[in-house]
Amino acid sequence: LPSMSHPQGRVRVIGQPLLRALLLILPSSWGLDNGLGLTPPLTYSVWNFFSIGANETHVLETASALESTGLKALGYDTIALDAGSIAFRDPVTDRLVASKHRFPSGLRALSDELHRRGFKFGGYTDL
């Protein structure tokens, strides 16, 4: 905005009232009004509470807690499992292998149950 020297030595910005009015009537952001992206993706990592000691029961109890507290309805619809909980890598295939002791039903069955309840299921690894 152009400015001019005020007779008393102060700087006066011409158009400042117009700028203020425009800022009040313009929306703060432009985007589609389709409900997408209203919140960031919200994920609960079981590592936050169980570290690498998580098991099948812990994951299912976490899902139940997210449902019963209303957090799932607020957007916490993804549960992430840390690879440290899974156990080890197969020495031949180098694939992560779930512990039969910690996940007796297997990760596929756990994933199927979480999906049935409306959750997404993922994992994190740096192994």
Side-chain angles (χ1 to χ4, degrees):
L1 296 173
S3 63
M4 298 174 38
S5 280
H6 193 271
Q8 296 164 337
R10 290 178 261 159
V11 175
R12 180 176 170 207
V13 177
I14 297 175
Q16 193 174 36
L18 176 62
L19 178 63
R20 286 183 183 160
L22 285 174
L23 290 175
L24 289 175
I25 61 171
L26 292 175
S28 62
S29 65
W30 296 91
L32 297 176
D33 187 18
N34 61 7
L36 296 176
L38 298 177
T39 61
L42 300 172
T43 300
Y44 184 86
S45 173
V46 294
W47 184 87
N48 291 330
F49 191 80
F50 301 105
S51 185
I52 61 170
N55 61 38
E56 185 175 306
T57 302
H58 294 147
V59 174
L60 294 173
E61 287 176 351
T62 298
S64 295
L66 290 172
E67 290 171 318
S68 67
T69 60
L71 288 171
K72 181 177 178 248
L74 292 174
Y76 279 90
D77 63 352
T78 305
I79 297 176
L81 185 63
D82 189 270
S85 298
I86 295 174
F88 62 94
R89 285 194 178 273
D90 181 284
V92 175
T93 65
D94 200 38
R95 296 178 90 179
L96 290 171
V97 178
S99 164
K100 299 263 186 223
H101 175 70
R102 290 185 183 176
F103 301 95
S105 301
L107 291 179
R108 179 57 187 242
L110 178 60
S111 176
D112 288 345
E113 173 59 19
L114 291 171
H115 290 151
R116 185 189 68 74
R117 292 165 68 173
F119 285 98
K120 297 172 198 153
F121 181 55
Y124 167 82
T125 182
D126 61 357
L127 299 176

